[in-house]
Amino acid sequence: QLGHPESLGDLAVRCADAVDAKASNPKAAHLFARILVDRIEDQATLQKAIDALPQEQRARLAILYIRAISLLQDHKADQAVKVLKTIIENKSAPAAARIALARLLIESKDYPQVRVILEPLEALQLASVVSLQATALAHTDDVAKAIALLDQAIALQDEDVELIVTKAKLQLDFLDIVTAERTLLDALVTRPAAEPI
């Protein structure tokens, strides 16, 4: 179906259904959006297909999220940020949209805003959310608090290496290379096959 631009709108809607179905699992929701976006060479074609959808479909948060991911794929980060900000104005915004926006704001060093955007997700205790929170915290407030937040989450989510890698990055940026190296070496003892570490 990807070879027929006229069917892209239908595919986007079906993809949006999958994103909505996985709303409580941001990684899975993001994956469905990426599957569609990654397989389209010309993002302008997907944008046009979304524009051609009926208004009630175009206004769906999941469709807006797919649009934002498509804009990012097309190296239009400023436009993607605007779309993501529109999404999170809604109380039922998918967690994936908040996480994507937080990542973009960290790239632009808007750390205080990252903390505000992630606040509604704090109860979820997702590794990606904690990593972003800790990064923003380290840059705006207190590195020790950020490391403590990561340690607490690592103890609860022992299988997720993203938290350990974030901790080492913050130690490297704010403390010293020896401390960061020790964190990674200690992690390798219990997770010898963890490629990110």
Side-chain angles (χ1 to χ4, degrees):
Q1 284 182 281
L2 289 170
H4 305 282
E6 64 275 8
S7 67
L8 277 180
D10 177 54
L11 281 174
V13 170
R14 283 161 49 202
C15 182
D17 292 341
V19 170
D20 281 340
K22 295 289 184 183
S24 62
N25 183 342
K27 280 186 180 177
H30 180 70
L31 178 62
F32 279 107
R34 286 248 47 119
I35 285 170
L36 177 61
V37 168
D38 286 348
R39 280 158 179 74
I40 295 168
E41 289 181 27
D42 179 17
Q43 295 303 313
T45 306
L46 177 58
Q47 297 292 326
K48 283 177 192 168
I50 290 172
D51 288 337
L53 291 171
Q55 170 57 28
E56 69 274 9
Q57 293 282 18
R58 279 199 319 271
R60 283 180 61 184
L61 298 179
I63 289 286
L64 288 172
Y65 181 67
I66 292 166
R67 183 190 291 277
I69 299 304
S70 174
L71 287 166
L72 281 173
Q73 180 80 357
D74 213 15
H75 308 291
K76 295 177 179 173
D78 290 346
Q79 290 179 45
V81 166
K82 284 179 188 171
V83 174
L84 290 167
K85 282 182 175 176
T86 301
I87 296 171
I88 68 161
E89 285 171 5
N90 191 302
K91 285 181 182 175
S92 58
R98 289 186 178 276
I99 292 168
L101 181 55
R103 287 191 198 286
L104 287 170
L105 292 175
I106 277 182
E107 283 179 25
S108 61
K109 301 188 177 356
D110 190 353
Y111 302 111
Q113 193 60 29
V114 170
R115 293 176 68 182
V116 172
I117 286 163
L118 293 176
E119 198 174 345
L121 304 182
E122 283 178 9
L124 294 179
Q125 281 297 297
L126 297 163
S128 51
V129 173
V130 175
S131 289
L132 291 165
Q133 285 172 324
T135 302
L137 186 61
H139 283 88
T140 56
D141 191 5
D142 188 341
V143 178
K145 276 186 194 172
I147 300 294
L149 176 67
L150 287 165
D151 282 338
Q152 184 182 6
I154 289 166
L156 294 171
Q157 301 176 48
D158 164 87
E159 71 292 340
D160 202 314
V161 298
E162 180 182 350
L163 296 164
I164 295 163
V165 172
T166 300
K167 178 181 174 180
K169 282 180 182 171
L170 293 181
Q171 288 171 325
L172 183 61
D173 290 345
F174 293 98
L175 301 173
D176 60 82
I177 193 168
V178 175
T179 308
E181 186 180 29
R182 190 178 309 117
T183 293
L184 296 175
L185 289 171
D186 288 349
L188 278 177
V189 171
T190 54
R191 303 163 186 84
E195 191 177 344
I197 293 174

